[in-house]
Amino acid sequence: MTITAVTGSASGIGAAVCKQLQEAGHTVLGIDRQNADIIADLSTVEGRINAANQVKALSNNKLDGLVCCAGLGVTAPSASLVISVNYFGTTELIALLQDTLAQGENPAITIIGSVAAVQQIAEPHAMTELMLENKEIDARTMADELGQPHIAYSASKYALTVHARRLAVQIGKTGVRLNTVAPGAVETPLHEASKNDPRFGEAVRNFVAPIGRNGEPSEIADAVTFLQSSNASFIHGSVLYVDGGMDAMMRNGNL
Ligand code: NAD
Protein backbone atom coordinates (compact mmCIF):
# COMPACT_ATOMS: atom_id res chain seq x y z
CA MET A 1 0.00 0.00 0.00
CA THR A 2 1.39 3.40 -1.01
CA ILE A 3 0.31 6.20 1.32
CA THR A 4 0.59 9.71 -0.07
CA ALA A 5 -0.36 12.97 1.63
CA VAL A 6 -1.53 15.80 -0.63
CA THR A 7 -1.92 19.41 0.52
CA GLY A 8 -4.46 21.68 -1.12
CA SER A 9 -6.49 18.56 -1.85
CA ALA A 10 -9.90 20.24 -1.88
CA SER A 11 -9.56 22.20 -5.11
CA GLY A 12 -7.88 22.64 -8.48
CA ILE A 13 -4.54 20.96 -9.03
CA GLY A 14 -4.52 19.26 -5.60
CA ALA A 15 -7.93 17.69 -6.20
CA ALA A 16 -6.81 16.43 -9.63
CA VAL A 17 -3.63 14.99 -8.08
CA CYS A 18 -5.69 13.15 -5.42
CA LYS A 19 -7.95 11.64 -8.09
CA GLN A 20 -5.07 10.42 -10.24
CA LEU A 21 -3.03 9.05 -7.35
CA GLN A 22 -6.09 7.16 -6.12
CA GLU A 23 -6.59 5.74 -9.62
CA ALA A 24 -2.91 4.69 -9.55
CA GLY A 25 -3.56 2.77 -6.32
CA HIS A 26 -2.34 5.21 -3.67
CA THR A 27 -4.11 5.67 -0.37
CA VAL A 28 -4.41 9.45 -0.29
CA LEU A 29 -4.49 11.63 2.81
CA GLY A 30 -5.88 14.98 1.68
CA ILE A 31 -4.92 18.06 3.69
CA ASP A 32 -6.82 21.34 3.34
CA ARG A 33 -8.67 24.02 5.26
CA GLN A 34 -11.95 22.25 4.54
CA ASN A 35 -13.37 19.20 2.72
CA ALA A 36 -10.32 17.05 3.44
CA ASP A 37 -9.25 13.98 5.43
CA ILE A 38 -7.04 16.26 7.51
CA ILE A 39 -8.32 19.75 8.22
CA ALA A 40 -5.40 22.08 8.86
CA ASP A 41 -4.39 25.67 8.26
CA LEU A 42 -0.92 25.59 6.75
CA SER A 43 -0.48 29.34 7.18
CA THR A 44 0.35 28.84 10.85
CA VAL A 45 3.04 26.93 12.73
CA GLU A 46 0.35 25.19 14.82
CA GLY A 47 -1.58 24.21 11.71
CA ARG A 48 1.52 22.67 10.11
CA ILE A 49 2.32 20.70 13.28
CA ASN A 50 -1.32 19.58 13.50
CA ALA A 51 -1.25 18.42 9.86
CA ALA A 52 2.04 16.56 10.31
CA ASN A 53 0.86 14.85 13.50
CA GLN A 54 -2.32 13.65 11.80
CA VAL A 55 -0.37 12.37 8.79
CA LYS A 56 1.99 10.48 11.10
CA ALA A 57 -0.90 8.92 13.01
CA LEU A 58 -2.85 7.93 9.88
CA SER A 59 0.23 6.54 8.09
CA ASN A 60 1.58 4.68 11.10
CA ASN A 61 4.75 6.78 10.80
CA LYS A 62 5.57 5.38 7.34
CA LEU A 63 4.74 7.81 4.57
CA ASP A 64 5.52 6.97 0.93
CA GLY A 65 4.64 10.24 -0.75
CA LEU A 66 3.98 13.92 -0.14
CA VAL A 67 2.61 16.31 -2.76
CA CYS A 68 2.49 19.99 -1.75
CA CYS A 69 -0.13 21.85 -3.78
CA ALA A 70 -1.66 24.20 -1.20
CA GLY A 71 -1.15 27.77 -2.26
CA LEU A 72 -2.64 31.24 -2.57
CA GLY A 73 -2.51 33.51 -5.61
CA VAL A 74 -2.50 37.27 -6.12
CA THR A 75 -6.06 37.65 -4.82
CA ALA A 76 -5.09 36.38 -1.36
CA PRO A 77 -6.30 38.50 1.58
CA SER A 78 -2.73 39.72 2.19
CA ALA A 79 0.76 39.40 0.73
CA SER A 80 2.03 37.98 4.03
CA LEU A 81 -0.46 35.12 3.82
CA VAL A 82 0.98 34.25 0.39
CA ILE A 83 4.43 33.96 1.98
CA SER A 84 3.19 31.84 4.89
CA VAL A 85 1.11 29.39 2.85
CA ASN A 86 3.15 29.08 -0.35
CA TYR A 87 6.62 28.95 1.16
CA PHE A 88 6.51 28.08 4.86
CA GLY A 89 3.36 25.94 4.60
CA THR A 90 5.35 23.71 2.27
CA THR A 91 8.91 23.85 3.60
CA GLU A 92 7.89 23.38 7.24
CA LEU A 93 5.52 20.54 6.51
CA ILE A 94 8.28 18.76 4.58
CA ALA A 95 10.69 19.30 7.48
CA LEU A 96 8.14 17.88 9.93
CA LEU A 97 7.50 14.82 7.74
CA GLN A 98 11.02 14.13 6.47
CA ASP A 99 11.75 11.33 8.95
CA THR A 100 8.33 9.76 8.37
CA LEU A 101 9.02 9.80 4.62
CA ALA A 102 12.44 8.22 5.11
CA GLN A 103 10.58 5.20 6.59
CA GLY A 104 8.41 4.85 3.47
CA GLU A 105 8.65 2.63 0.41
CA ASN A 106 10.48 4.45 -2.47
CA PRO A 107 9.41 7.77 -0.94
CA ALA A 108 8.98 10.84 -3.10
CA ILE A 109 7.98 14.47 -2.65
CA THR A 110 6.61 16.73 -5.36
CA ILE A 111 6.30 20.46 -4.74
CA ILE A 112 4.06 22.61 -6.90
CA GLY A 113 6.09 25.70 -7.77
CA SER A 114 5.17 28.00 -10.64
CA VAL A 115 6.52 29.42 -13.85
CA ALA A 116 6.09 32.74 -11.98
CA ALA A 117 9.41 31.90 -10.27
CA VAL A 118 11.09 32.70 -13.59
CA GLN A 119 9.87 36.31 -13.47
CA GLN A 120 12.76 38.73 -13.00
CA ILE A 121 11.16 40.40 -9.98
CA ALA A 122 11.49 37.19 -7.95
CA GLU A 123 15.15 36.27 -7.87
CA PRO A 124 16.88 39.41 -6.58
CA HIS A 125 14.13 40.33 -4.11
CA ALA A 126 15.10 40.68 -0.44
CA MET A 127 11.91 38.78 0.47
CA THR A 128 13.32 35.74 -1.32
CA GLU A 129 16.44 35.80 0.85
CA LEU A 130 14.39 36.15 4.07
CA MET A 131 12.36 33.08 3.14
CA LEU A 132 15.47 31.07 2.33
CA GLU A 133 16.91 32.15 5.71
CA ASN A 134 13.75 30.73 7.31
CA LYS A 135 12.73 34.15 8.70
CA GLU A 136 8.96 33.93 8.38
CA ILE A 137 8.08 36.97 10.51
CA ASP A 138 10.56 39.23 8.68
CA ALA A 139 9.46 37.99 5.25
CA ARG A 140 5.80 38.53 6.19
CA THR A 141 6.51 42.07 7.44
CA MET A 142 8.36 42.96 4.24
CA ALA A 143 5.57 41.49 2.10
CA ASP A 144 2.87 43.54 3.84
CA GLU A 145 4.94 46.74 3.83
CA LEU A 146 5.42 46.33 0.08
CA GLY A 147 1.76 45.40 -0.39
CA GLN A 148 2.38 43.83 -3.82
CA PRO A 149 0.88 40.33 -3.80
CA HIS A 150 2.19 39.49 -7.28
CA ILE A 151 5.76 40.10 -6.10
CA ALA A 152 5.13 38.08 -2.94
CA TYR A 153 3.73 35.28 -5.12
CA SER A 154 6.68 35.15 -7.54
CA ALA A 155 9.19 35.49 -4.70
CA SER A 156 7.49 32.69 -2.72
CA LYS A 157 7.64 30.35 -5.71
CA TYR A 158 11.23 31.30 -6.53
CA ALA A 159 12.33 30.69 -2.92
CA LEU A 160 10.37 27.42 -2.82
CA THR A 161 12.08 26.14 -5.96
CA VAL A 162 15.55 27.09 -4.68
CA HIS A 163 14.78 25.49 -1.31
CA ALA A 164 13.71 22.29 -3.09
CA ARG A 165 16.95 22.16 -5.10
CA ARG A 166 19.06 22.66 -1.96
CA LEU A 167 17.07 20.13 0.07
CA ALA A 168 17.26 17.55 -2.73
CA VAL A 169 21.05 17.57 -2.46
CA GLN A 170 20.82 16.98 1.30
CA ILE A 171 18.15 14.30 1.41
CA GLY A 172 19.18 12.18 -1.58
CA LYS A 173 21.08 9.84 0.75
CA THR A 174 17.99 9.20 2.87
CA GLY A 175 16.30 7.65 -0.18
CA VAL A 176 13.68 10.39 -0.46
CA ARG A 177 13.31 11.86 -3.95
CA LEU A 178 12.20 15.48 -4.27
CA ASN A 179 11.13 17.33 -7.40
CA THR A 180 9.27 20.50 -8.34
CA VAL A 181 6.53 20.81 -10.91
CA ALA A 182 6.21 24.37 -12.22
CA PRO A 183 2.82 24.91 -13.85
CA GLY A 184 1.98 27.74 -16.22
CA ALA A 185 -1.57 29.09 -16.33
CA VAL A 186 -3.99 26.34 -15.30
CA GLU A 187 -7.79 26.60 -15.24
CA THR A 188 -8.53 26.43 -11.50
CA PRO A 189 -10.47 28.61 -9.04
CA LEU A 190 -7.17 30.36 -8.16
CA HIS A 191 -6.56 31.27 -11.80
CA GLU A 192 -10.18 32.27 -12.37
CA ALA A 193 -9.97 34.70 -9.44
CA SER A 194 -6.72 36.16 -10.85
CA LYS A 195 -8.31 36.64 -14.29
CA ASN A 196 -11.18 38.59 -12.70
CA ASP A 197 -9.02 40.72 -10.41
CA PRO A 198 -9.23 44.46 -11.24
CA ARG A 199 -5.48 44.97 -10.58
CA PHE A 200 -4.01 41.91 -12.28
CA GLY A 201 -6.81 40.52 -14.46
CA GLU A 202 -5.74 42.05 -17.75
CA ALA A 203 -2.11 40.95 -17.40
CA VAL A 204 -3.19 37.43 -16.40
CA ARG A 205 -5.61 37.16 -19.34
CA ASN A 206 -2.94 38.37 -21.78
CA PHE A 207 -0.29 35.96 -20.49
CA VAL A 208 -0.88 33.19 -23.00
CA ALA A 209 1.46 30.22 -23.43
CA PRO A 210 3.08 29.49 -26.81
CA ILE A 211 0.86 26.44 -27.05
CA GLY A 212 -2.08 28.87 -27.25
CA ARG A 213 -4.20 27.79 -24.30
CA ASN A 214 -4.20 27.34 -20.54
CA GLY A 215 -3.64 23.95 -18.94
CA GLU A 216 -6.14 21.71 -17.19
CA PRO A 217 -5.51 20.52 -13.61
CA SER A 218 -5.34 16.92 -14.89
CA GLU A 219 -2.37 17.86 -17.10
CA ILE A 220 -0.42 18.94 -14.01
CA ALA A 221 -1.59 15.85 -12.13
CA ASP A 222 -0.24 13.66 -14.98
CA ALA A 223 3.27 15.02 -14.32
CA VAL A 224 2.92 14.69 -10.53
CA THR A 225 1.66 11.11 -10.76
CA PHE A 226 4.64 10.23 -12.97
CA LEU A 227 7.15 11.88 -10.61
CA GLN A 228 5.62 10.04 -7.63
CA SER A 229 5.90 6.68 -9.46
CA SER A 230 8.78 4.22 -9.78
CA ASN A 231 9.02 5.25 -13.45
CA ALA A 232 10.71 8.41 -12.16
CA SER A 233 13.16 6.56 -9.87
CA PHE A 234 16.26 8.50 -11.07
CA ILE A 235 14.60 11.91 -11.25
CA HIS A 236 15.64 13.94 -8.21
CA GLY A 237 16.11 17.66 -7.65
CA SER A 238 14.52 18.51 -10.99
CA VAL A 239 12.16 21.30 -11.95
CA LEU A 240 9.62 20.14 -14.50
CA TYR A 241 7.84 22.97 -16.30
CA VAL A 242 4.33 21.97 -17.31
CA ASP A 243 3.41 25.27 -18.86
CA GLY A 244 2.66 25.06 -22.57
CA GLY A 245 6.08 26.63 -23.30
CA MET A 246 5.83 29.71 -21.04
CA ASP A 247 9.22 29.12 -19.41
CA ALA A 248 10.89 28.81 -22.82
CA MET A 249 9.14 32.02 -23.91
CA MET A 250 10.06 33.98 -20.77
CA ARG A 251 13.73 32.96 -21.03
CA ASN A 252 13.81 33.85 -24.73
CA GLY A 253 14.84 30.31 -25.51
CA ASN A 254 17.82 30.39 -23.12
CA LEU A 255 18.44 27.79 -20.42
P1 NAD B 1 -6.91 26.34 -5.87
O1 NAD B 1 -7.29 27.62 -5.20
O2 NAD B 1 -7.89 25.68 -6.76
O3 NAD B 1 -6.40 25.29 -4.78
C1 NAD B 1 -5.54 25.65 -3.73
C2 NAD B 1 -5.91 24.86 -2.49
O4 NAD B 1 -5.00 25.25 -1.45
C3 NAD B 1 -7.34 25.17 -1.99
O5 NAD B 1 -8.05 23.97 -1.79
C4 NAD B 1 -7.11 25.92 -0.70
O6 NAD B 1 -8.11 25.71 0.28
C5 NAD B 1 -5.74 25.34 -0.25
N1 NAD B 1 -5.14 26.24 0.72
C6 NAD B 1 -4.97 27.59 0.61
N2 NAD B 1 -4.53 28.10 1.76
C7 NAD B 1 -4.42 27.05 2.63
C8 NAD B 1 -4.03 26.96 3.99
N3 NAD B 1 -3.71 28.04 4.72
N4 NAD B 1 -4.02 25.74 4.55
C9 NAD B 1 -4.38 24.64 3.86
N5 NAD B 1 -4.77 24.67 2.57
C10 NAD B 1 -4.80 25.88 1.97
O7 NAD B 1 -5.58 26.69 -6.67
P2 NAD B 1 -4.69 25.85 -7.72
O8 NAD B 1 -4.59 26.69 -8.92
O9 NAD B 1 -5.12 24.45 -7.82
O10 NAD B 1 -3.28 25.95 -6.98
C11 NAD B 1 -2.56 24.83 -6.53
C12 NAD B 1 -1.08 25.18 -6.56
O11 NAD B 1 -0.68 25.40 -7.91
C13 NAD B 1 -0.73 26.46 -5.80
O12 NAD B 1 0.46 26.28 -5.09
C14 NAD B 1 -0.53 27.47 -6.91
O13 NAD B 1 0.34 28.51 -6.56
C15 NAD B 1 0.06 26.58 -7.99
N6 NAD B 1 -0.03 27.14 -9.34
C16 NAD B 1 -1.25 27.37 -9.91
C17 NAD B 1 -1.30 27.89 -11.19
C18 NAD B 1 -2.60 28.16 -11.89
O14 NAD B 1 -2.60 28.82 -12.94
N7 NAD B 1 -3.73 27.67 -11.40
C19 NAD B 1 -0.11 28.18 -11.87
C20 NAD B 1 1.10 27.93 -11.25
C21 NAD B 1 1.13 27.40 -9.98
Side-chain angles (χ1 to χ4, degrees):
M1 184 169 68
T2 304
I3 304 181
T4 300
V6 179
T7 75
S9 59
S11 177
I13 292 169
V17 166
C18 290
K19 181 170 176 283
Q20 284 199 20
L21 289 178
Q22 275 157 353
E23 285 165 5
H26 294 232
T27 298
V28 172
L29 304 174
I31 305 169
D32 210 303
R33 288 174 297 182
Q34 70 247 326
N35 301 328
D37 305 302
I38 296 170
I39 306 293
D41 179 359
L42 296 173
S43 71
T44 67
V45 173
E46 306 76 52
R48 296 163 201 153
I49 292 170
N50 167 27
N53 285 343
Q54 291 195 60
V55 169
K56 286 179 193 177
L58 291 169
S59 67
N60 216 3
N61 286 311
K62 269 184 69 175
L63 187 63
D64 309 303
L66 175 63
V67 182
C68 298
C69 304
L72 294 174
V74 292
T75 63
S78 68
S80 55
L81 209 50
V82 172
I83 300 292
S84 283
V85 176
N86 293 10
Y87 184 80
F88 293 98
T90 296
T91 58
E92 285 207 351
L93 189 68
I94 292 173
L96 289 163
L97 290 173
Q98 218 166 290
D99 291 347
T100 313
L101 280 156
Q103 301 301 315
E105 192 79 22
N106 301 321
I109 305 170
T110 301
I111 291 173
I112 303 297
S114 173
V115 76
V118 179
Q119 283 171 342
Q120 279 174 356
I121 45 173
E123 182 181 353
H125 208 283
M127 232 186 303
T128 304
E129 222 33 65
L130 289 174
M131 284 183 266
L132 288 168
E133 287 167 10
N134 207 25
K135 294 178 176 162
E136 183 168 7
I137 293 169
D138 294 344
R140 283 180 61 101
T141 303
M142 185 177 286
D144 279 342
E145 278 172 5
L146 194 66
Q148 301 273 21
H150 65 298
I151 298 181
Y153 183 80
S154 299
S156 74
K157 293 297 187 176
Y158 182 90
L160 192 54
T161 310
V162 170
H163 177 84
R165 303 268 289 169
R166 292 178 181 173
L167 187 59
V169 175
Q170 280 174 35
I171 67 169
K173 280 194 215 70
T174 69
V176 181
R177 288 188 304 106
L178 166 60
N179 292 291
T180 302
V181 166
V186 183
E187 296 293 352
T188 67
L190 180 153
H191 192 254
E192 191 60 28
S194 311
K195 277 194 292 196
N196 295 329
D197 186 272
R199 298 160 299 172
F200 305 109
E202 195 181 348
V204 172
R205 289 192 298 274
N206 290 338
F207 197 44
V208 179
I211 217 166
R213 65 171 176 84
N214 292 340
E216 293 298 326
S218 65
E219 293 177 292
I220 309 303
D222 284 333
V224 173
T225 304
F226 163 68
L227 286 172
Q228 292 298 113
S229 79
S230 57
N231 290 333
S233 51
F234 199 53
I235 304 180
H236 180 55
S238 290
V239 183
L240 177 55
Y241 290 90
V242 186
D243 65 352
M246 265 185 183
D247 169 55
M249 181 175 76
M250 288 162 73
R251 292 186 208 257
N252 293 320
N254 294 315
L255 276 180

